[in-house]
Amino acid sequence: MKKIAAIGLAGFLAAATTTTVMAADPEDAIHYRKGAFSAMAWHFGTMGAMVKGKMDYDAEDFSRRADIVAQLSKLPMEGFIAGSYEGDTDALPAIEKEWDKFEGGMNMLVENTAALAEAAKSGDMAQIKPAFGEVGKSCKGCHDNFKN
Amino acid sequence: MKKIAAIGLAGFLAAATTTTVMAADPEDAIHYRKGAFSAMAWHFGTMGAMVKGKMDYDAEDFSRRADIVAQLSKLPMEGFIAGSYEGDTDALPAIEKEWDKFEGGMNMLVENTAALAEAAKSGDMAQIKPAFGEVGKSCKGCHDNFKN
């Protein structure tokens, strides 16, 4: 109550708005976050093919994709809402139970994709490869813990 | 041949790289572009709820979503590749037959979402509503012609 009193009416209204925004349909939220992850996977997969030498390395295209992945990495989080851990999803209820750990993992993804986008600007595979590997670890870390 | 001779070896290699990039799996391409559109729909839908007064208008949140939609609008185009107009998709083969018209529609979407993002910064519904309407028309225009 002290906190609510401190932030006052404007803050309370802002909080109420946030509640409205968060009261999205869980099915829509699942569809949304899957969409964002699918778009990331397309670009990250193409980048992976270049890193692994399965596709010619095109520095400009790689950097463009790295920027996109860094932006997309910020999107899925708002799709993880109450009621969205059942139905057409592989996301596990462990996300709600270990929210801080999950949020930390998602924040790490945002940080690591930003670092990869920065490394990509160098055009130097010696800088890109380890940054790419860190993003891959971020993906795997959350999938191991929170994805069926 | 004249054109190939004119752009020389570097150009040819660049073209070859582009071909490699474009030789993606049609199923992956479908999954990708659907993902990008789904992510757009989530944000545009929430914006629509605010425009229609079904949700409290939050200028900052609206503007954030408008920026995201403007960025996302640039993504789906590279998912429209040969072989991707059958299978798990509502995209019609008319896209390939009327490519220039389709491309024009997608470019219009990019322009209109950028204008909406700009209008959103004003926080003025009188500017936002018509810009929002233009984006809606862009969506509908392509769906009417190119989506089952």
Side-chain angles (χ1 to χ4, degrees):
Chain A
M1 282 310 294
K2 194 178 172 186
K3 197 178 175 190
I4 289 175
I7 57 180
L9 184 63
F12 176 76
L13 289 175
T17 303
T18 305
T19 306
T20 310
V21 172
M22 295 309 281
D25 184 289
E27 276 184 40
D28 289 346
I30 291 168
H31 194 64
Y32 165 66
R33 71 195 185 209
K34 281 174 137 183
F37 281 125
S38 297
M40 286 180 70
W42 166 269
H43 292 289
F44 195 64
T46 307
M47 291 163 68
M50 291 192 213
V51 168
K52 288 164 197 156
K54 290 179 185 169
M55 187 184 287
D56 291 340
Y57 171 57
D58 176 331
E60 193 180 334
D61 185 63
F62 189 95
S63 186
R64 178 184 73 86
R65 292 178 192 276
D67 285 339
I68 291 170
V69 168
Q71 291 305 313
L72 289 175
S73 73
K74 300 171 190 168
L75 299 189
M77 197 60 181
E78 74 183 78
F80 290 94
I81 63 173
S84 72
Y85 306 102
E86 55 188 15
D88 188 23
T89 180
D90 292 325
L92 296 172
I95 290 171
E96 278 192 316
K97 294 193 190 86
E98 302 173 59
W99 183 257
D100 289 350
K101 183 178 173 182
F102 176 71
E103 191 175 38
M106 291 293 281
N107 288 340
M108 190 60 76
L109 177 70
V110 172
E111 282 179 36
N112 286 342
T113 54
L116 175 55
E118 194 57 36
K121 290 185 194 6
S122 71
D124 174 12
M125 245 331 140
Q127 289 182 49
I128 289 168
K129 269 189 183 168
F132 184 87
E134 288 304 311
V135 174
K137 275 187 219 164
S138 289
C139 298
K140 190 175 183 307
C142 269
H143 290 176
D144 286 352
N145 289 308
F146 299 116
K147 194 181 177 196
N148 198 358
Chain B
M1 281 311 292
K2 193 179 172 187
K3 197 178 173 192
I4 289 175
I7 57 179
L9 185 63
F12 177 75
L13 289 175
T17 304
T18 304
T19 306
T20 310
V21 171
M22 294 309 281
D25 184 290
E27 276 184 41
D28 289 345
I30 290 169
H31 194 64
Y32 164 66
R33 70 194 186 209
K34 281 174 138 183
F37 281 125
S38 297
M40 286 180 70
W42 166 269
H43 292 289
F44 194 64
T46 307
M47 291 163 68
M50 291 192 212
V51 169
K52 288 164 196 157
K54 291 179 185 168
M55 188 184 286
D56 291 340
Y57 171 57
D58 176 332
E60 193 180 335
D61 185 63
F62 190 95
S63 186
R64 178 184 72 86
R65 292 178 193 276
D67 285 340
I68 291 170
V69 168
Q71 291 306 312
L72 288 175
S73 73
K74 301 171 189 168
L75 299 189
M77 197 60 181
E78 74 182 79
F80 290 93
I81 62 172
S84 71
Y85 306 101
E86 55 187 16
D88 188 23
T89 180
D90 292 326
L92 296 172
I95 291 171
E96 279 192 315
K97 295 192 189 88
E98 303 172 58
W99 183 259
D100 289 350
K101 183 178 173 183
F102 175 72
E103 192 175 38
M106 290 293 281
N107 288 341
M108 191 60 76
L109 177 70
V110 171
E111 281 179 35
N112 286 342
T113 55
L116 176 55
E118 194 55 36
K121 291 186 196 359
S122 72
D124 174 10
M125 244 332 138
Q127 290 183 48
I128 289 167
K129 270 189 183 168
F132 183 88
E134 289 303 312
V135 174
K137 275 188 218 164
S138 289
C139 297
K140 189 175 183 307
C142 268
H143 289 177
D144 286 351
N145 289 307
F146 299 117
K147 193 181 176 196
N148 198 357

